[in-house]
Amino acid sequence: MDIDLLKTFVEVVRTRHFGKAAENLYITQSAVSFRIRQLEQGLGVNLFIRQRNNIQLTAPGERLLPHAQMIITGMQRAKVDVALADNMHKQVCLAGTPNIWDAFLQFGISNIVSAMPGVSLVAEVKAQQESTRLLLERTLDLAILFDPPKVDELVVERICALPIIPVSAFESAANDNFFDNQYVYVDWGTTFSLWHARQFTGRTPPYFRTSTGRIALDLILQCGGSAFIPEVLAKIHIENGELFEVSDVEHTSRDIFVAYHRDNEQKPLLETLVNLLVELTPNISSDFSEKK
């Protein structure tokens, strides 16, 4: 099966639009339609329900999607493995959610690279569910997550706590008005959502919601407002007087976990990588530990 047909199928699923898929793949819309017809003819099924401005997957299309994603990811990884430079003898693929990268991984990825000579490191941004799926399919070696997957095949270890503090662009912010003045809700995962609901029931609904802390931080710096932001990201802005920590609003933290397949053939290498990640934590969690 032509890998380009599967790539086109996945892109149409992602965009739900043949024209947008064509733009992203740098081919014509007629070429996208032709590839999808080829794939459908080869499989003997219809993959999409085609309605005007409404492209939906059929049941066979739904079943094909995870296989197509696995084949594409596996092929990409095979190409990298085959093309490893002469001085590289191993490849490790890790992934984190956008919030993990913003608040944790970005501060130590250069140290990890320099500490692992001879290892080709592939670092990607992946959603929680996709990371878990790729771990099980053995196309991802290590995932760094807020919400640990409860899957028997995976080894899950807690590596640190990430302090998340209430901050505001307004110096007068306090417990009684923190949520009333352009409050931005950041989705820091399931545990945070449950904690937030228990602590702040009945408060004014947020005027903006986002799944990424960096977006919330940039927004309140530019437009004013308040949000729960990782201390490591907010610290410099607090020191510069751009933001203010709201001490009388409840503080919290998020545990960060690593996960990998228990039968991964590179387990010793992954354990070394986990230890390097643990070494990143003192600068992130020490201040929070002193305040608790």
Side-chain angles (χ1 to χ4, degrees):
M1 184 179 295
D2 189 338
I3 193 73
D4 287 335
L5 303 187
L6 293 178
K7 288 181 178 178
T8 304
F9 167 72
V10 170
E11 191 61 29
V12 172
V13 173
R14 192 181 70 82
T15 61
R16 300 289 173 167
H17 194 281
F18 277 50
K20 291 179 182 177
E23 291 177 9
N24 294 342
L25 294 169
Y26 300 100
I27 58 177
T28 64
Q29 185 169 338
S30 60
V32 169
S33 298
F34 179 70
R35 287 181 180 182
I36 295 301
R37 285 198 303 272
Q38 276 189 297
L39 187 58
E40 290 178 325
Q41 291 170 1
L43 295 171
V45 296
N46 291 325
L47 298 172
F48 294 101
I49 300 171
R50 296 166 175 82
Q51 298 175 346
R52 186 173 183 179
N53 298 323
N54 184 22
I55 297 176
Q56 299 294 327
L57 279 171
T58 62
E62 293 280 4
R63 291 193 292 270
L64 175 63
L65 181 58
H67 296 291
Q69 291 171 326
M70 179 178 65
I71 292 169
I72 292 169
T73 304
M75 181 62 72
Q76 291 170 340
R77 183 158 185 180
K79 287 181 178 179
V80 174
D81 275 335
V82 171
L84 282 178
D86 291 339
N87 63 330
M88 298 289 182
H89 55 83
K90 292 285 186 180
Q91 176 188 274
V92 173
C93 184
L94 67 87
T97 62
N99 277 330
I100 291 287
W101 277 105
D102 285 344
F104 180 67
L105 281 175
Q106 67 161 316
F107 298 102
I109 193 66
S110 59
N111 293 337
I112 291 173
V113 171
S114 61
M116 302 182 73
V119 175
S120 173
L121 192 65
V122 179
E124 299 179 319
V125 178
K126 299 287 185 185
Q128 167 94 19
Q129 291 183 336
E130 184 180 7
S131 291
T132 302
R133 176 178 61 80
L134 293 175
L135 287 173
L136 293 172
E137 292 172 355
R138 315 287 188 92
T139 54
L140 179 67
D141 292 307
L142 190 76
I144 301 94
L145 308 162
F146 281 132
D147 296 311
K150 296 179 173 59
V151 182
D152 290 340
E153 293 91 337
L154 301 181
V155 175
V156 177
E157 299 178 17
R158 177 188 176 277
I159 57 173
C160 73
L162 177 73
I164 298 177
I165 63 175
V167 297
S168 176
F170 307 114
E171 189 172 5
S172 60
N175 182 61
D176 60 352
N177 62 12
F178 181 77
F179 297 92
D180 301 328
N181 202 350
Q182 298 181 190
Y183 174 62
V184 178
Y185 177 84
V186 185
D187 182 3
W188 291 108
T190 303
T191 302
F192 175 83
S193 298
L194 295 173
W195 172 83
H196 192 279
R198 289 194 303 267
Q199 295 291 329
F200 308 112
T201 301
R203 299 285 191 169
T204 303
Y207 94 111
F208 190 87
R209 290 175 177 267
T210 177
S211 61
T212 307
R214 177 63 65 180
I215 292 175
L217 178 61
D218 290 345
L219 182 64
I220 64 175
L221 285 171
Q222 295 176 32
C223 303
S226 57
F228 283 93
I229 300 293
E231 186 176 39
V232 68
L233 291 181
K235 185 176 180 180
I236 188 171
H237 301 289
I238 294 173
E239 293 173 349
N240 292 340
E242 300 170 294
L243 293 178
F244 304 91
E245 182 176 355
V246 187
S247 58
D248 60 346
V249 173
E250 188 76 23
H251 289 41
T252 188
S253 67
R254 283 306 327 263
D255 287 337
I256 296 178
F257 299 87
V258 294
Y260 56 89
H261 201 289
R262 61 176 67 255
D263 294 329
N264 191 303
E265 61 184 15
Q266 301 192 104
K267 192 172 180 179
L269 193 59
L270 297 183
E271 291 172 347
T272 298
L273 181 52
V274 170
N275 290 334
L276 290 170
L277 291 171
V278 171
E279 291 175 6
L280 297 181
T281 63
N283 293 333
I284 292 176
S285 59
S286 59
D287 291 341
F288 180 75
S289 298
E290 291 169 4
K291 294 176 182 178
K292 290 183 69 175

